[in-house]
Every structure is written in C-alpha cells, then in structure tokens.
Amino acid sequence: MADYPTALGASDRTTITLLGQNLADDVMGKVGFGELAFWLATQRRPSAGEVRVFEAVLAALADHGFTPTAIVTRLTYLSAPDSIQGALAAGLLGGGSRFLGVTEDCGRFLHDVLADVESPPTDDAGWDALALATVRARREAKAFIPGLGHHVHKDGDPRTPRLMAIATEEGLFGPHLSLFAAIGRVHPQVLGKTLPLNGAGVCGAALADLGLPLELLRGFALLARTAGLIGQLAEELRDPVANDIFLSVDRAARPAPPRP
Amino acid sequence: MADYPTALGASDRTTITLLGQNLADDVMGKVGFGELAFWLATQRRPSAGEVRVFEAVLAALADHGFTPTAIVTRLTYLSAPDSIQGALAAGLLGGGSRFLGVTEDCGRFLHDVLADVESPPTDDAGWDALALATVRARREAKAFIPGLGHHVHKDGDPRTPRLMAIATEEGLFGPHLSLFAAIGRVHPQVLGKTLPLNGAGVCGAALADLGLPLELLRGFALLARTAGLIGQLAEELRDPVANDIFLSVDRAARPAPPRP
Amino acid sequence: MADYPTALGASDRTTITLLGQNLADDVMGKVGFGELAFWLATQRRPSAGEVRVFEAVLAALADHGFTPTAIVTRLTYLSAPDSIQGALAAGLLGGGSRFLGVTEDCGRFLHDVLADVESPPTDDAGWDALALATVRARREAKAFIPGLGHHVHKDGDPRTPRLMAIATEEGLFGPHLSLFAAIGRVHPQVLGKTLPLNGAGVCGAALADLGLPLELLRGFALLARTAGLIGQLAEELRDPVANDIFLSVDRAARPAPPRP
Amino acid sequence: MADYPTALGASDRTTITLLGQNLADDVMGKVGFGELAFWLATQRRPSAGEVRVFEAVLAALADHGFTPTAIVTRLTYLSAPDSIQGALAAGLLGGGSRFLGVTEDCGRFLHDVLADVESPPTDDAGWDALALATVRARREAKAFIPGLGHHVHKDGDPRTPRLMAIATEEGLFGPHLSLFAAIGRVHPQVLGKTLPLNGAGVCGAALADLGLPLELLRGFALLARTAGLIGQLAEELRDPVANDIFLSVDRAARPAPPRP
C-alpha cells in the first residue's frame, strides 16, 4: 500500500493543517507571505531577521522591466487572455540559465568553494586569501566567476551593498556572503580590472547563507518573478503594449530565401 | 518610434527604481514580499491592514497537499530535474477553471451582482435581501453559486470565518465579503440545505474588497501556489515520492483494444 | 485495485504495442507522422484521403512567421537555452482563444448549428438557406461568425479554396465544410459587405468533417504549431534575432510614474 | 531600423509563403506533416527516404503509455479543462534530461566521438575498433554511454533493429548509426555484460545521420510526444482516469511532522 508522507497541507472535515500548524488559527493573519514561503521550503519557521533578508532578496529579483520574461508574459496574455496561468507559466519558463540563473549559479559556486575548505576563514584577511586563490583558479581554468560583472551597473550594482548591509544588521552575514565580498575586493589583482558584484549573485550568496536548499535557489528567483509578472500583467491591462511589440517585430520581418 | 511606458522596474548605470521607488534604499529591507506583490499589482502601496488581509489570503491558498498541481510539479521534476522553472510552470498550468478558479469566479460573481445594484445595502437585513434575490435567481437559472459548498469541509471551511474575522479587525470587510456572508446566511431558505462558504471563495471576496483587479484574482492564487509548489519540491528533494506515484500508475495500466 | 485501461503505448520485455499494433513491425516505417497523429486521436486508422486532408490542415497552420507564439519561443530560448522543452511549451501557451482559437471556435460553431438541424441539406440551395438563417441569427445576437474575416487577406485567404478543393478531391467535403462554404456565399446579403472565409476557420471545418474530437481541435493547431516552433528555433540558432527583439523593446521603455 | 530575416511563414494580401514555397499551391495537399517538420527544421526538402526514417523515429517516440509526461497532461487537463494548450505544455515540460533526453544525449555523444576522428572508419572492423576505444574511455571516466541499457527491454529494444533496418533500406545508415551499432557489438568485451541499445538512443543516432541540428534533437522527441499527448487527452476524454490517479495519491498521503 502506497504511503506518501508530507508535512505540507492536509485537511479533514473540520481542520486544515500546514507544516504542522492549524492553518486558520495559527498561520492566516499571523504569518507573512515571505515568511511562509521560507517555512514551506525549509520546514522550519524563520526568525524575523531571516525573513527580512529573504524578503530583501525577493524584492531585489521581482522585476527588472521589459526583460524577455516580462515580454513573454505580455505577449502570451495577448494571444491567450483566457489563461492567466499560461501567461505566468510562459514567463517563468524564461527563468533558465541565462537571465535568472545567476542567483543559483553564484550560490552553488560559493558553496562548492566552501565545501573544499577545511575550516572557513575567521577574518577578512583569511577571506581575501581564499578569494584570491579562488579567482586565480578560475582564471587559469578560463572560467567566469558567477555573479561578477554587470552589463549596466558597471560601477556597482546598488543592490549589492544594500543586501550586505541588511544581512549584517540581522547578524546573517555568513560564509557565502563573506567569500563573495572578498572576491569583490581581490579580483582586480588577478583580472587587472574592477568588476561589480552583481545583485543576482549577491542574492544567491545571501540565500545560501540562510541555509535554503541550493537546488531551489532558482526557485526563489522564480517566486519573486511571479509577483513581478503579475505586476506586468496588471500594467498590460491598463496600458497595453503587447500588440505594439508584436507589430513592431512583424513589420521588421523580411522574407529571405531558405538556407539549406 | 515605439514608446512603452512602465512604472515597474527601470535602471540606469547607478540606480534601480521600482514603482517610482529607489529599489535598494526604499524597497529592499523595508517592504515585505506580500506588500510588494500587492503594490506591483495596483501601483499603490497598501496599508498594513490591507497587507495582513492579502497575506492571509495567500496563506489560505498556498498549499493543499497532494493536489493535481502538486503531483504535476513533482512528476515534472522527476522527468526533468534540470529545469526547476519547468516543474513550477507545469504545476501552475493546472491553475485553471476547476481547482484554482473558484477564487476568481467567486470574486467576479459577487462583483457582477454588486454592479447591478444602485446603492449597496447598509445593514445585514439589506444584504440578506440582496443575497436572497441573488440565490433565487441562480436557482432559477439552474446555476451554481461560486464559492458555495466544499467536498471535504461539509460543516464549514475553517478558513472562511477566520478570513472574515481578519478583514473585520482591519476594517476591510467590504461589500463583496458582506454579500458573500449574507449568501451563507440565507441560501438554506432557497436550496433547502446548508452548504459551507468555501475558503477559495471567501478569498476571492476578500481580494475583490481590497480593490485588486478582477482579471488577476486567479493570478494571486497562482502566486500563493508558487510558494506551495516550491515547498512540494523541497519535500520531494528530501522524501521523494514522484517515482512511486509514477510506478503506481504504470503498474495499474491495463492494455485495452482501441475503440474507434 | 486501480485499473487504467489504455489502447496507447504498452510494452513488455520483448514487445512494444501502440494502438494494438506492434510498434516496431507495423508502425515504424509504415505509418506517416500525420497518419499516426490522427490514429492516436481517434483510435482508428485513417484512410489515405483523410490523411491528405489532415496533413493539409497541419501545413496550413504550422507557421505564420513572427506571431506572438514564435516571438515567445525565440525569447524564451534566449533566456533559457538549456531547456528546449521550455521554449516550445512557452510558445504553445499562446495558443489560446485569440490567435490559435479560431480553428476550434469555427469547428464548434458549425457543429452546434448542424446539431440543431433535423436532417442536413442535400444541395447548395439548402445549405444557402441554412447559412442565411445562421448568419441572420448571429447578426441579431450581435455576435461574430467564427472564421469569417481576415485582417490581412481581405480579398480571400488562399488556404480556403485550396483546402476545400483537397477535401473535394478526397470525397471528404462534409456538412461542416458545406455550411462554411455557404456562409461564404450568403453572408454579404446580410452583412452588406463581403468578408473572406479565413484559413484557420476552414481548417476547423475540415477537421470536424474528419470526425476528430471537437474538444481537441485546438490541439491539432498546437501540433502543427509545434513543428513551426521547431522551425523558428532552428532559424534562431542560425540567424538569431531574439536579442535584438528584446533590446528593441528595452530601448523603447519609458519610465512612467505609478498610476494607483 | 530593425530587420529580421526569415525563410519561414510570410504573407501579403493575396499570398502566403512558407520556406519559399506557395503554401496553398505547393505545400498543402502535397507535403506530408513529417516531411514539413523536417523541412522547417533544416530549410531543405528531405528525400522520400529521409522522410521515412524521420517518421519512423517520430513513431518510435510518440507514446509510451502512462509515462510521467502523460500523467501530467491528464492531471493538468483535469484541473484546467479550459486550456488544452496548458495540458500539452505541461506534459512537454517533462521532456527534460531524464525521460526524453536520451535521444539528444546519444546523438550528441556519438557526434562528439566522430568529431574527434580524422576520417571515419570504412568497415565494421574499423567501427568496432573505434567503438572499443570509446567504450573503454567512458569506462575509465566512470561515465555511462547514452543509449546503452533499458530498464524493461533487457534483451533488446525492438525499435533498435527495426530503425537500423529502415535506415539501411533507405541508404541512410551513416556514421552515427554505424558507431552506435558497433558499440552494441563490442561493449560486452569491456563491461562484462550485454546491454541493449535502446530505442531512444538509436533515434538520436538516426536523427544525427539525417543531418538534423543537434541542438534540436530533443525538439523532435517533443514533436513526437505532442502527438502522443493529444492521444492521451483523446483517451482521457472517453475513458477518464486522471481523477482516479489524483485520488489514489491523495488517499495515500500521510501527514508527517515537519523536518527542519
């Protein structure tokens, strides 16, 4: 007989439980949405400080204007206005390696470096030494460092110092953020130029320091983006641009011969 | 020259703005995730009371255990573990008319009734009279009332009184909730039996009272569900059941002749 | 004990069956892909004539250039090149009521008219009379006729006469096509102007005449479109334009104040 | 001024072209659906033999019964019957690395081996030598060989010899199939046991021999699967099982305490 244990939602005739709590009495009206999302992902209730860092990450990732995912959601809604779920799902499907993947890639990268260290450094000098070795190794392997560099914020991504400050205020500036910050300090010595630590990367470091599952870091970026895509749809309802976007592409089409 | 106005995310070399705010300074660390989702959808900052009602709705809808959407997300992750975005998107695609649609259907239904009323009632007797006329009209049209009845919580859905209490505490018990509550009081006179006001329905009424766009009510259910599906994936990572679910179906398959 | 009968794929240690056939011996190398798709949907093997009409429909619907669905697939591939399935799925999600829905809407509409007729007409005069009554009734109800009109092919959609000719050649010009053709002949009497019968509509009529399930007419449009979207991706791989599309939208963005 | 060249669909007031052909006159009624899909992906018209091999591959991959993708499509249709596109898209999203990825992985693997060879072997002995070196190298790297082994067809996948025979008949048994066949002959010498060459793998080899783009091999598996999923939906419409599947999972759920 199959048996699927779960600590998530369950209900009987009179009661609904979620994460071992009475949903109506103990969750509704008492647990914020960011807090609940954290709790669902870890099965432990986060502290107020953890919620603040987590929600700062979600805010940092929620919307970046007319990204491919936003355009996709608007165009899908134009084509299939009867299916909000399709428009949101289509937008999320762009959350892959290139545009939303940095958060996950950076968190995993920092984690892998730390996993190879016997005991983590205890001061900035120690972090700088580890970061220097890390950047050199990547340079020799001709590999990029996830989270380093930004095509717009060339002098610094404003989200990075802000998230680091919030994590510090909450006592949650852990080894992933420490290593990431040190990479920011030392990489010019190796690369010969100064690149910004980007916001998507610092979000990955902060999520990893919160102990969230590495396999799901991209999932949190997608959760944030879901709120952003709802905002895109709400704006599209009031100031529609999707049809103009479609027409601008359609008009620029130029028939060309097949190229076998 | 195309011109797409947006109040959502924008950035230049040094600054990122979102909803007219400085993202790093004024949103990160200061605005909760539920609050931000509300703000993105309405372009106005909600009050603390509005956030509390909104987050109570999101909590009510986040996860209901092994629903079709949860099973779909787990099975898709089993098949394509390299694509978290695909697993989440697939789960959201079940958020259609049948399982997640009640929230939207109920909000729209109540809105349509209210739109036909010159001035809304001002006391319970008035609401009861409007509700009675409404239930009778639906009965005559042989139409269901969205949000009325629940296949498990036959004696009452615990989310319903709780959400009504929260809305009352916050001074946000508006016309949609008033009409829905009145339908709960009077329908036995017409239908000859007492049905519960279900939790998905009351969520729709509460969201409508918050002034959120009716076209997007299903979107908020999907936002809540995204957090739930991340919880399902997190649990699947630790206690995998998707392969057992797949095998249980596979083993029950019985080859049958085609039926033209 | 659960028991799920199926005539679709089944296998044991040595044999794979599909639709009651030995897949390797009797399907592979002997059954074309269009034929197989028809067979899967109806569980009966189509005649050569049915296959020809069906494949003509699929050809008519496969690709229309830079439609929203094509743009969405290209943009999603740009964002998440690691997930071909996500790019195709995102494109299909635009296959809703507005852009790909005409095929289904037209097939259903014709079917509903025919369902109300005791015995279908037997000559053109009879079809014209039925069509005239139908167009008049829609006009009075201020409702559009699905499949009538086209924003580009104002003087006639070239797919329409061609598909009608193919169906005639194969002896498959049935009641749905007959009624649709008659609507094409008589509607100017009622509407006071001549509109083209569009290609998506005639495809719906032809699919309905083939006896395919009405609930799945949109599914066949999506199958055709899957082939088209693969073509879009293949072209994107060789002549990428998605990033230029993204940038053209991004550059046209104009920050605007929130509008609560 | 943007300019997006395309050889795919284009239309003006009177004509529709596709791949440089007049769609109505030269494609509809003349080009089969498998042929068209090949043409769209390569921008060259395939020979009759190429179409036969290609369609045999599509048949081999179209449906395997109650796979996760099939279950997902049925469950999504149960939840959101108003959105066929959502049900199909959800099913396709399972087409990732684990269940549908073998076709792509095998094609790419064989291609990479061949890319490192100065001139390909010209007889079976030569292929066997190359295969032997290949299997040994994988063994040393503790890596699997994509396409080798099958959890059900332990004594041989019936699709494999059949597809090889069809390719031979059509003169399309090229280097990828040659290498794959040789791996089938020589691997027992290295691995100490005989594993079957599976059907998904041989499909990848055959598609690669047809010159189809490696990046899109998974796309063809998804095209085949789209037809299969339409078959699953058609069967679900007549013999619904999705609700029973959902209930069987729901009933097996066992509330467990959270595990932080």
Side-chain angles (χ1 to χ4, degrees):
Chain A
M1 179 64 198
D3 174 57
Y4 306 135
T6 181
L8 300 175
S11 63
D12 59 27
R13 189 156 176 142
T14 57
T15 312
I16 303 176
T17 58
L18 183 66
L19 295 159
Q21 309 296 307
N22 182 303
L23 173 66
D25 294 347
D26 300 329
V27 181
M28 290 172 66
K30 293 182 179 167
V31 178
F33 185 52
E35 184 179 3
L36 181 62
F38 190 115
W39 197 344
L40 283 162
T42 58
Q43 304 205 355
R44 73 173 176 83
R45 187 165 194 171
S47 70
E50 287 173 322
V51 173
R52 186 163 171 249
V53 173
F54 183 61
E55 292 193 314
V57 167
L58 296 178
L61 301 176
D63 186 78
H64 300 144
F66 288 111
T67 55
T69 61
I71 302 168
V72 160
T73 284
R74 289 185 185 238
L75 285 172
T76 303
Y77 182 74
L78 174 72
S79 284
D82 44 315
S83 170
I84 290 285
Q85 71 270 25
L88 293 176
L92 293 182
L93 288 171
S97 55
R98 201 168 298 172
F99 275 73
L100 280 191
V102 176
T103 297
E104 177 173 338
D105 295 344
C106 186
R108 282 182 183 273
F109 166 70
L110 298 170
H111 178 85
D112 290 346
V113 172
L114 292 167
D116 285 344
V117 172
E118 257 182 62
S119 64
T122 53
D123 57 14
D124 273 8
W127 285 113
D128 283 1
L130 177 58
L132 204 55
T134 300
V135 177
R136 282 193 178 125
R138 294 292 281 188
R139 169 83 166 199
E140 273 164 38
K142 297 188 182 179
F144 289 107
I145 292 177
L148 191 61
H150 196 287
H151 65 295
V152 174
H153 306 301
K154 294 182 197 297
D155 307 320
D157 185 322
R159 296 171 294 178
T160 301
R162 177 66 176 140
L163 190 60
M164 289 182 170
I166 294 168
T168 302
E169 287 165 23
E170 303 298 340
L172 291 163
F173 198 94
H176 299 85
L177 282 168
S178 298
L179 175 58
F180 196 56
I183 287 172
R185 290 191 296 269
V186 307
H187 75 270
Q189 297 176 40
V190 183
L191 305 185
K193 59 183 171 182
T194 301
L195 295 171
L197 296 174
N198 72 48
V202 74
C203 286
L207 293 174
D209 271 346
L210 290 172
L212 291 161
L214 291 174
E215 298 90 339
L216 296 180
L217 294 194
R218 196 189 295 182
F220 299 111
L222 294 164
L223 173 62
R225 187 51 53 98
T226 305
L229 294 176
I230 290 174
Q232 293 282 340
L233 285 175
E235 195 169 77
E236 178 72 18
L237 283 168
R238 301 194 300 176
D239 290 310
V241 302
N243 202 49
D244 285 346
I245 291 174
F246 157 52
L247 290 176
S248 78
V249 177
D250 189 56
R251 273 189 216 111
R254 179 173 54 78
R259 293 200 301 127
Chain B
M1 177 65 198
D3 173 56
Y4 307 134
T6 181
L8 301 175
S11 62
D12 59 28
R13 189 157 175 139
T14 57
T15 312
I16 304 176
T17 58
L18 182 66
L19 295 159
Q21 309 295 308
N22 182 304
L23 173 66
D25 294 347
D26 300 328
V27 181
M28 290 173 66
K30 293 183 179 165
V31 178
F33 185 52
E35 184 179 2
L36 180 63
F38 190 115
W39 198 343
L40 283 163
T42 60
Q43 303 205 356
R44 71 173 176 84
R45 185 165 195 173
S47 70
E50 287 173 321
V51 173
R52 186 163 172 247
V53 172
F54 183 60
E55 293 194 313
V57 167
L58 296 179
L61 300 177
D63 185 79
H64 300 144
F66 288 111
T67 54
T69 61
I71 301 169
V72 160
T73 284
R74 289 185 185 239
L75 285 172
T76 303
Y77 182 73
L78 173 72
S79 285
D82 44 315
S83 170
I84 291 283
Q85 71 270 27
L88 292 176
L92 293 182
L93 288 172
S97 56
R98 200 168 297 172
F99 275 73
L100 280 191
V102 176
T103 298
E104 177 173 339
D105 295 344
C106 186
R108 282 182 183 273
F109 166 70
L110 298 169
H111 178 86
D112 290 346
V113 172
L114 292 166
D116 284 344
V117 172
E118 258 183 61
S119 63
T122 54
D123 57 15
D124 274 6
W127 285 112
D128 283 2
L130 177 58
L132 203 56
T134 301
V135 177
R136 282 195 177 124
R138 294 292 282 188
R139 170 83 166 196
E140 272 164 40
K142 298 189 181 179
F144 289 107
I145 292 177
L148 191 61
H150 196 287
H151 65 294
V152 173
H153 307 300
K154 294 181 197 297
D155 308 319
D157 185 322
R159 296 171 295 178
T160 303
R162 177 67 176 140
L163 189 60
M164 289 183 169
I166 294 168
T168 302
E169 287 165 24
E170 304 298 340
L172 291 163
F173 197 94
H176 299 86
L177 282 168
S178 298
L179 176 57
F180 196 54
I183 287 172
R185 290 190 296 268
V186 307
H187 76 270
Q189 297 176 41
V190 183
L191 305 184
K193 59 182 172 184
T194 302
L195 294 171
L197 296 174
N198 71 48
V202 75
C203 286
L207 293 174
D209 271 346
L210 290 172
L212 292 161
L214 291 174
E215 297 90 340
L216 296 180
L217 295 194
R218 196 188 296 181
F220 300 110
L222 293 164
L223 174 63
R225 186 52 52 99
T226 304
L229 293 176
I230 290 173
Q232 293 283 340
L233 285 175
E235 195 170 78
E236 178 70 19
L237 283 167
R238 300 194 300 175
D239 290 310
V241 302
N243 202 49
D244 285 347
I245 291 173
F246 157 52
L247 291 176
S248 77
V249 177
D250 189 56
R251 274 189 215 112
R254 179 174 53 77
R259 293 199 302 127
Chain C
M1 178 62 199
D3 173 58
Y4 306 135
T6 180
L8 301 176
S11 62
D12 59 28
R13 189 157 176 140
T14 57
T15 312
I16 304 175
T17 59
L18 182 66
L19 296 160
Q21 310 295 308
N22 182 303
L23 173 67
D25 294 346
D26 300 328
V27 181
M28 290 172 66
K30 294 183 179 166
V31 178
F33 184 53
E35 185 179 2
L36 181 62
F38 190 115
W39 199 344
L40 283 162
T42 59
Q43 303 205 354
R44 73 173 176 83
R45 185 165 195 171
S47 70
E50 287 173 321
V51 173
R52 185 163 172 248
V53 173
F54 183 62
E55 293 194 313
V57 167
L58 296 178
L61 301 176
D63 185 79
H64 300 145
F66 288 111
T67 54
T69 61
I71 302 169
V72 160
T73 284
R74 289 184 184 239
L75 285 171
T76 303
Y77 181 74
L78 173 72
S79 284
D82 45 314
S83 170
I84 290 283
Q85 71 269 26
L88 292 176
L92 293 182
L93 289 171
S97 55
R98 200 168 297 172
F99 274 74
L100 280 191
V102 176
T103 298
E104 177 173 340
D105 294 346
C106 186
R108 282 182 184 273
F109 166 69
L110 298 170
H111 178 85
D112 290 347
V113 172
L114 292 167
D116 284 344
V117 171
E118 258 182 62
S119 63
T122 53
D123 58 14
D124 273 7
W127 286 112
D128 282 2
L130 177 59
L132 203 55
T134 301
V135 177
R136 282 194 177 125
R138 295 292 281 188
R139 170 82 166 199
E140 272 164 39
K142 297 189 182 178
F144 289 108
I145 292 178
L148 192 60
H150 195 287
H151 66 295
V152 173
H153 306 300
K154 295 182 197 297
D155 308 319
D157 185 322
R159 296 171 293 178
T160 302
R162 177 66 176 141
L163 189 60
M164 288 183 170
I166 293 168
T168 302
E169 287 166 23
E170 303 299 339
L172 292 163
F173 197 94
H176 299 85
L177 282 168
S178 297
L179 176 56
F180 196 57
I183 288 172
R185 290 191 296 268
V186 307
H187 76 271
Q189 297 176 42
V190 183
L191 306 184
K193 60 183 170 182
T194 302
L195 295 171
L197 296 174
N198 72 48
V202 74
C203 287
L207 293 174
D209 271 346
L210 290 171
L212 291 161
L214 291 174
E215 297 90 341
L216 296 180
L217 294 194
R218 196 188 296 181
F220 300 110
L222 293 163
L223 173 62
R225 187 50 53 99
T226 305
L229 294 175
I230 289 173
Q232 294 282 339
L233 285 175
E235 195 170 77
E236 178 71 18
L237 283 166
R238 300 194 300 176
D239 290 309
V241 301
N243 202 48
D244 285 346
I245 292 173
F246 158 52
L247 291 176
S248 76
V249 177
D250 189 56
R251 273 189 216 112
R254 179 174 53 78
R259 293 199 302 127
Chain D
M1 177 64 198
D3 173 57
Y4 306 134
T6 180
L8 301 175
S11 62
D12 59 29
R13 190 158 175 138
T14 58
T15 312
I16 305 174
T17 58
L18 182 67
L19 296 159
Q21 309 295 307
N22 182 304
L23 173 66
D25 295 346
D26 300 329
V27 181
M28 290 173 67
K30 294 184 179 165
V31 178
F33 184 53
E35 185 179 1
L36 181 62
F38 189 115
W39 198 344
L40 283 162
T42 59
Q43 302 204 357
R44 71 173 177 83
R45 185 166 195 171
S47 70
E50 287 173 321
V51 172
R52 186 163 171 247
V53 172
F54 183 61
E55 293 194 313
V57 167
L58 296 178
L61 300 176
D63 185 79
H64 301 143
F66 288 110
T67 54
T69 60
I71 302 169
V72 160
T73 284
R74 289 185 185 239
L75 286 172
T76 303
Y77 182 74
L78 173 72
S79 284
D82 44 314
S83 170
I84 291 283
Q85 71 271 25
L88 292 176
L92 293 182
L93 289 171
S97 56
R98 201 168 297 171
F99 274 75
L100 279 191
V102 176
T103 297
E104 178 173 338
D105 294 345
C106 186
R108 281 182 184 273
F109 166 70
L110 298 169
H111 179 84
D112 290 346
V113 173
L114 292 167
D116 284 344
V117 172
E118 257 183 63
S119 64
T122 54
D123 58 14
D124 274 6
W127 286 113
D128 283 2
L130 177 58
L132 204 55
T134 301
V135 177
R136 281 195 177 124
R138 296 291 281 188
R139 170 81 166 200
E140 272 165 39
K142 298 191 180 175
F144 289 108
I145 292 177
L148 191 61
H150 196 286
H151 66 295
V152 173
H153 306 300
K154 295 181 197 297
D155 307 321
D157 185 321
R159 296 171 294 179
T160 302
R162 178 66 175 140
L163 189 60
M164 288 183 171
I166 293 167
T168 302
E169 286 166 23
E170 303 299 340
L172 291 163
F173 197 94
H176 299 85
L177 282 169
S178 297
L179 176 58
F180 195 56
I183 287 171
R185 289 192 297 267
V186 307
H187 75 271
Q189 297 177 41
V190 183
L191 305 185
K193 60 183 171 183
T194 302
L195 295 171
L197 297 174
N198 71 48
V202 74
C203 286
L207 293 174
D209 270 346
L210 290 172
L212 292 161
L214 292 174
E215 298 90 340
L216 296 180
L217 295 194
R218 196 189 295 182
F220 300 110
L222 293 163
L223 174 62
R225 186 51 53 98
T226 305
L229 293 175
I230 290 174
Q232 293 283 339
L233 285 175
E235 195 169 77
E236 178 71 17
L237 283 167
R238 302 194 299 175
D239 290 309
V241 302
N243 202 50
D244 285 346
I245 292 173
F246 158 52
L247 291 176
S248 77
V249 177
D250 189 56
R251 274 190 214 110
R254 179 173 54 77
R259 293 199 302 126

